[in-house]
Amino acid sequence: MTLSEIRDFVAERSPAEHHAIGRLDNQRQKSLGVYGRKRSGGPVVALGGLGLSSYGVRSVRLLLHWNENARETEAAAQALWDALSCAAHIDLPGGGHIQCVRLLTPEPVALGTDKGGVYEYVLDMDVYYRRESLTI
């Protein structure tokens, strides 16, 4: 599962106007950045090896960079959290499949404002996805 596939999946559910991977242009309001996140533990490997593993997990962080209004930013972050909290069994256009999304905090986490006074929120999540091929 690539970050670009996750970006596209999130973009369909996001109120943001701009979506990016790995780097967010701080001049653009109403933006969402998708970043890889370190995960504790090793990869998901079934008994018998990686070729027999039916799913994988991709850990990501979403950074919502919204506007100068705290209330509007919080509402956008909560709308995104709500949309992702129930995401499961989703076929992706490129042939991938998301089994489920596990949000790691009970609500979006406020980061305050950036240097320009734009409010930001972060959502950490694990994306469980079906692995492409199994060797038996």
Side-chain angles (χ1 to χ4, degrees), residues 25-116:
D25 181 358
N26 285 334
Q27 302 303 317
R28 298 175 103 176
Q29 293 187 9
K30 297 187 178 180
S31 295
L32 180 81
V34 179
Y35 302 87
R37 187 177 55 78
K38 290 183 181 179
R39 188 171 173 264
S40 63
V44 177
V45 180
L47 291 174
L50 188 60
L52 297 176
S53 299
S54 63
Y55 74 95
V57 181
R58 186 70 193 252
S59 297
V60 297
R61 171 167 285 166
L62 305 179
L63 175 64
L64 188 72
H65 176 85
W66 206 250
N67 63 21
E68 294 90 7
N69 185 304
R71 185 177 301 222
E72 290 176 10
T73 305
E74 181 180 25
Q78 189 63 52
L80 178 61
W81 193 95
D82 291 345
L84 294 173
S85 68
C86 61
H89 306 291
I90 297 160
D91 290 320
L92 301 176
H97 179 82
I98 293 177
Q99 297 290 95
C100 68
V101 171
R102 180 175 167 239
L103 293 164
L104 303 178
T105 58
E107 70 257 338
V109 177
L111 298 180
T113 62
D114 69 356
K115 294 177 186 177

Side-chain angles (χ1 to χ4, degrees), residues 2-16:
T2 65
L3 289 178
S4 63
E5 288 174 312
I6 294 172
R7 179 207 49 213
D8 295 344
F9 156 72
V10 170
E12 292 179 2
R13 291 149 182 81
S14 166

